[in-house]
Amino acid sequence: MFYPLELPRPRKALYGEYGKKLGQIRAQHEPQGSAGKLWRLLLPYLKEYTATSSVHGIRYLADPKLKYFERIIWLLILVATSIGASIVYVDLSELYQSMRIQTTIKNTMYPIFAAPFPAVGICPRNRINWIKLENEAPYHFLGPNISAAEKELFVRFFTSAADSHLTRLTEMSSFFNNAPLAANLTLLDVLDVATVIEYVLLKCSDFFSACLWRGNPQNCCEIFELQFTESGSCWVFNSLISPARRQKEKDNKYYPRRTPQYGEGSGLDVFLRLRNSSLIRPNKRGVYVMIKQPQQWSDVVRHVPHGAQTQISMVPRITTTDQRTRALTPRARRCIFPDEVTHPQYKNLPGFEYWVGNCRSKCHQEHVINLCKCSPSVFFPVTDKDNFTVCRPSDFKCLHDNRLTFSVERHPQEDEYVDNLYKESMICNCFISCTQLIFDRVFSSSTLDNNDTHTELGTIRLDIFYQSGWFIQYHTNMRFTFVELLASFGGIIGLFLGASLLSAFELVYFFTIGLYLYLHGERKLSFQPRPLQPAVITIPFGQRKITPAKYIR
């Protein structure tokens, strides 16, 4: 038998009035002010995010099953992995920005017939028909009634002008050192310098004795073409400069010429000898040889001695560039494509294909125009689209006065590495072409031997050939693209945090759209605390049940 006093009775609250005191205690620990209100407002939302986030480890920060120190451990782990991911990402970003391209060997056995044979320029030092210059040309250009002083002026000026190079204008010092003679140079301004020089030049048949291409005899005057370069007038083989040669390229698929053979006598073999010994002048023996691209206006020359057999063996090197590198600037990829004409550093001669050699020639021309306000037609091309004047004979005084500037070309970054001795020089910063063909040349000269080489036809022999039947092809491509950076970053985030791109979208959503809906009461939290429910305690009491109610939280 049970008595009512023996039944369980509700225990008195520890702090008097249970609800009131508990509310006071909670109020003492909750943040006060506007910050406290904001925290109380956002705390349930933050708990929902941590409970549902797809980033590994975040949900442990609000897991009610974990103790306080366990949550601290998981917080430290998250901080450590986030720092590790940031360090690796910064390293990848620096790699992406600094080393985005690479040049590798694409083919070690690229056949020589896949690349055109270079254009070969022969620039004789003794290039003037002196008899024609002294006896015929003055009267042809100035009229039959010219005076002796006018004739002397004409002969002396064009003798010095015909032998000069842009980098060797000291050849004209003998003329300009004669001040009284140079003072009358304006009398010749009615003449075009290039026209007069072309008139008095030696003809092709005057010094070409025999020519062979791949061992087969050729007509020298058909395969060589007279062109003006920065080294003056030259006879050029396999060129694409003139309109006639460009048309030949369109009509003949085998032009410019190529060769599948290599070794001595497999390329261009030329014998040179002046037809008339009266045309020889002292200190004008030998020729200058220029090896360049078929589409290139000019390049440096090398002197080949008289009375010698000179062999020039060549090893080509070709570099191509992937089209995906167009996403980078020319400075970053270290080259420029021919169609990037709007780039500030794009320089090219009008109507020419872009090569670094043509860019340098254009740079040289700009320096001449800036200093002398004209462009000499004996050194640079002249077109109808030019907005400058052609240098007259009297303008060559300015060219001679600035001969030190025109004799040296420097790169803008050269001063960082070289103690420059030339304060006055041409500064050119030209990008190489993204498809670049270069010929490494080796010159070797020996005395002519008529018994062994049968060179009685000429006093100079030039044998220009490929050293090998194969050469190396290089290719420049993107080393680290944006897609690869994104894939690497995704791997880093997955390794350190177990997250993905959707995790980033989830984070953005929760703190933009989701937060907006929550603040405006349009979103219900899935973990809202349940309202207080009375807990039922059933005690058996005979045949009756007494069920006291006790509110629990």
Side-chain angles (χ1 to χ4, degrees):
M1 182 175 180
F2 294 94
Y3 295 94
L5 295 177
E6 295 177 351
L7 296 175
R9 289 173 293 180
R11 189 175 62 177
K12 184 178 180 180
L14 295 177
Y15 300 100
E17 298 181 10
Y18 182 79
K20 180 178 180 181
K21 295 295 183 180
L22 185 60
Q24 292 176 355
I25 293 174
R26 289 181 177 175
Q28 292 175 1
H29 290 82
E30 290 178 351
Q32 301 297 323
S34 58
K37 294 179 180 179
L38 181 62
W39 174 253
R40 289 194 301 272
L41 180 64
L42 294 180
L43 182 59
Y45 188 75
L46 293 176
K47 288 183 177 180
E48 181 185 15
Y49 172 71
T50 56
T52 59
S53 175
S54 61
V55 180
H56 295 180
I58 290 184
R59 62 176 177 270
Y60 298 126
L61 301 179
D63 192 347
K65 298 179 182 179
L66 298 182
K67 296 185 179 298
Y68 182 76
F69 75 91
E70 291 180 294
R71 300 180 189 179
I72 296 296
I73 292 175
W74 276 108
L75 178 62
L76 295 177
I77 293 174
L78 281 173
V79 172
T81 54
S82 299
I83 293 175
S86 300
I87 293 174
V88 177
Y89 172 72
V90 170
D91 184 63
L92 285 175
S93 298
E94 292 178 354
L95 178 65
Y96 173 73
Q97 295 295 336
S98 61
M99 302 180 64
R100 300 182 63 180
I101 63 171
Q102 62 181 357
T103 300
T104 58
I105 296 177
K106 182 178 181 180
N107 190 353
T108 59
M109 300 292 288
Y110 198 72
I112 55 176
F113 56 78
F117 199 80
V120 179
I122 299 178
C123 315
R125 296 190 65 197
N126 191 54
R127 64 185 71 178
I128 299 298
N129 187 328
W130 307 103
I131 300 175
K132 191 174 184 179
L133 173 63
E134 296 174 357
N135 300 321
E136 180 181 338
Y139 303 102
H140 176 80
F141 288 98
L142 298 178
N145 299 323
I146 60 173
S147 62
E150 292 175 332
K151 179 180 178 180
E152 181 185 7
L153 176 65
F154 180 91
V155 173
R156 294 281 298 274
F157 171 75
F158 284 103
T159 297
S160 61
D163 292 341
S164 62
H165 302 182
L166 179 65
T167 57
R168 298 171 184 168
L169 289 170
T170 52
E171 298 286 342
M172 303 188 70
S173 297
S174 59
F175 174 81
F176 286 105
N177 288 339
N178 189 337
L181 188 66
N184 297 323
L185 196 54
T186 54
L187 299 175
L188 303 180
D189 282 350
V190 296
L191 304 178
D192 179 67
V193 178
T195 302
V196 177
I197 291 178
E198 187 174 359
Y199 181 81
V200 298
L201 286 176
L202 290 173
K203 303 300 181 183
C204 170
S205 57
D206 290 334
F207 59 87
F208 277 105
S209 294
C211 298
L212 291 87
W213 168 245
R214 296 172 56 186
N216 298 315
Q218 303 287 324
N219 187 335
C220 298
C221 297
E222 291 182 358
I223 63 175
F224 279 90
E225 182 183 42
L226 179 64
Q227 295 177 4
F228 284 102
T229 67
E230 292 185 42
S231 298
S233 58
C234 301
W235 293 91
V236 185
F237 165 82
N238 210 36
S239 174
L240 288 174
I241 298 300
S242 67
R245 299 295 178 175
R246 293 178 183 177
Q247 184 62 39
K248 184 176 181 179
E249 179 189 23
K250 296 178 181 179
D251 299 337
N252 186 355
K253 69 175 182 178
Y254 298 116
Y255 190 86
R257 295 176 174 86
R258 305 166 188 257
T259 176
Q261 302 169 342
Y262 61 96
E264 298 180 13
S266 62
L268 179 65
D269 205 353
V270 181
F271 296 87
L272 304 173
R273 183 185 62 180
L274 282 176
R275 178 173 51 85
N276 189 345
S277 59
S278 61
L279 300 176
I280 300 176
R281 285 293 185 271
N283 302 323
K284 296 294 182 182
R285 308 296 294 272
V287 297
Y288 292 106
V289 177
M290 178 187 302
I291 306 294
K292 61 176 184 175
Q293 301 283 348
Q295 304 91 344
Q296 187 175 340
W297 172 258
S298 184
D299 206 338
V300 296
V301 294
R302 177 163 176 173
H303 179 254
V304 172
H306 176 77
Q309 172 182 337
T310 301
Q311 294 179 332
I312 306 176
S313 61
M314 303 178 299
V315 178
R317 287 186 291 115
I318 188 171
T319 302
T320 57
T321 305
D322 192 89
Q323 291 293 323
R324 292 198 302 171
T325 60
R326 287 180 176 269
L328 304 177
T329 63
R331 184 175 299 276
R333 79 172 88 98
R334 300 189 294 273
C335 72
I336 193 168
F337 286 97
D339 57 353
E340 293 180 313
V341 295
T342 58
H343 192 271
Q345 288 188 256
Y346 180 92
K347 292 182 184 294
N348 195 19
L349 298 171
F352 284 74
E353 185 175 348
Y354 183 89
W355 293 99
V356 64
N358 290 336
C359 175
R360 293 175 58 218
S361 294
K362 181 62 177 179
C363 177
H364 299 167
Q365 186 183 38
E366 289 178 349
H367 279 83
V368 173
I369 294 174
N370 290 336
L371 291 175
C372 297
K373 311 305 178 185
C374 66
S375 175
S377 56
V378 292
F379 298 143
F380 303 107
V382 178
T383 64
D384 298 335
K385 300 180 181 180
D386 296 330
N387 56 356
F388 51 80
T389 60
V390 177
C391 290
R392 299 170 298 178
S394 60
D395 295 323
F396 276 71
K397 178 65 167 60
C398 176
L399 298 178
H400 179 262
D401 292 341
N402 294 279
R403 61 189 180 276
L404 296 180
T405 300
F406 302 144
S407 63
V408 179
E409 176 193 339
R410 293 194 297 119
H411 193 275
Q413 299 178 351
E414 188 174 311
D415 292 336
E416 299 179 11
Y417 307 94
V418 181
D419 183 13
N420 187 16
L421 302 177
Y422 306 96
K423 303 304 179 183
E424 299 178 357
S425 57
M426 298 181 292
I427 300 178
C428 298
N429 185 14
C430 287
F431 289 123
I432 65 172
S433 176
C434 289
T435 300
Q436 188 70 25
L437 180 61
I438 300 175
F439 298 95
D440 294 328
R441 296 150 286 184
V442 178
F443 287 73
S444 60
S445 298
S446 60
T447 304
L448 286 172
D449 190 342
N450 293 340
N451 295 328
D452 295 335
T453 58
H454 303 288
T455 55
E456 67 276 2
L457 292 176
T459 56
I460 298 178
R461 180 185 179 184
L462 296 176
D463 188 7
I464 306 170
F465 54 89
Y466 283 132
Q467 184 176 341
S468 173
W470 316 92
F471 64 96
I472 298 177
Q473 180 188 15
Y474 300 91
H475 186 68
T476 301
N477 54 15
M478 296 289 291
R479 177 182 181 181
F480 210 59
T481 63
F482 178 76
V483 175
E484 292 169 333
L485 175 66
L486 190 62
S488 300
F489 180 66
I492 293 169
I493 297 300
L495 175 65
F496 284 91
L497 300 174
S500 64
L501 185 61
L502 290 178
S503 301
F505 288 138
E506 176 187 272
L507 177 64
V508 173
Y509 171 81
F510 257 89
F511 290 94
T512 54
I513 300 175
L515 182 60
Y516 174 83
L517 295 176
Y518 170 73
L519 294 176
H520 288 75
E522 298 180 13
R523 173 174 177 171
K524 296 181 180 179
L525 299 180
S526 60
F527 60 94
Q528 289 179 350
R530 295 176 298 176
L532 296 178
Q533 300 291 338
V536 179
I537 301 176
T538 303
I539 299 176
F541 187 74
Q543 297 180 353
R544 298 168 55 190
K545 294 182 180 180
I546 300 176
T547 307
K550 177 183 177 181
Y551 284 86
I552 63 172
R553 183 174 294 272

